[in-house]
Amino acid sequence: MSAKTKRMSADEKRQAILGVYHRTKEVYTEKEIISLAAKAGVNQNTIADINQALVDDGLVDKEKIGGSNYFWSFPAKRDRLNELAHEENKKKIETIKISIQQAEA
């Protein structure tokens, strides 16, 4: 191991794995994503756990078909989630504005 080797933080690992999904826009088995993420510089022993955390956070989708698990994530999903959150926040702001107006009246 070289003295110049930099360890990746958990967030960097998450971004590297998401980058694999978003660059290729394909569906993978767990074995395939482990191989591709390892090539992207993520420690092979942590990939399965980080991939599962991405699934738990809703950034990666997972479907069991037959005896295999398939994983995918497309860039538009994150954009759509941000859009939905923005719309929800706008509704909350309007509700709060109405409440303030009623309280002042």
Side-chain angles (χ1 to χ4, degrees):
M1 201 155 142
S2 162
K4 294 183 179 183
T5 302
K6 180 184 177 293
R7 297 182 59 157
M8 293 178 92
S9 71
D11 192 51
E12 289 172 326
K13 291 175 186 177
R14 289 170 58 94
Q15 292 304 318
I17 293 172
L18 270 178
V20 170
Y21 286 115
H22 292 178
R23 271 192 308 279
T24 59
K25 299 178 183 130
E26 293 185 21
V27 177
Y28 298 105
T29 63
E30 189 168 19
K31 188 181 284 188
E32 291 169 332
I33 197 62
I34 288 173
S35 172
L36 291 169
K39 289 178 185 174
V42 181
N43 182 330
Q44 196 164 358
N45 297 329
T46 62
I47 295 170
D49 293 335
I50 293 170
N51 194 49
Q52 185 58 48
L54 291 169
V55 170
D56 295 342
D57 293 344
L59 296 173
V60 173
D61 293 307
K62 173 183 173 183
E63 188 71 38
K64 185 173 180 83
I65 302 173
S68 300
N69 289 318
Y70 292 91
F71 300 89
W72 67 92
S73 177
F74 301 117
K77 181 174 184 173
R78 187 182 333 182
D79 296 340
R80 183 66 183 142
L81 290 174
N82 286 338
E83 245 178 56
L84 292 172
H86 179 69
E87 291 298 321
E88 185 66 29
N89 288 335
K90 284 175 33 180
K91 288 178 186 175
K92 288 178 183 176
I93 289 170
E94 288 304 315
T95 304
I96 291 171
K97 281 181 180 178
I98 292 170
S99 298
I100 290 171
Q101 289 173 351
Q102 290 173 348
E104 290 177 345

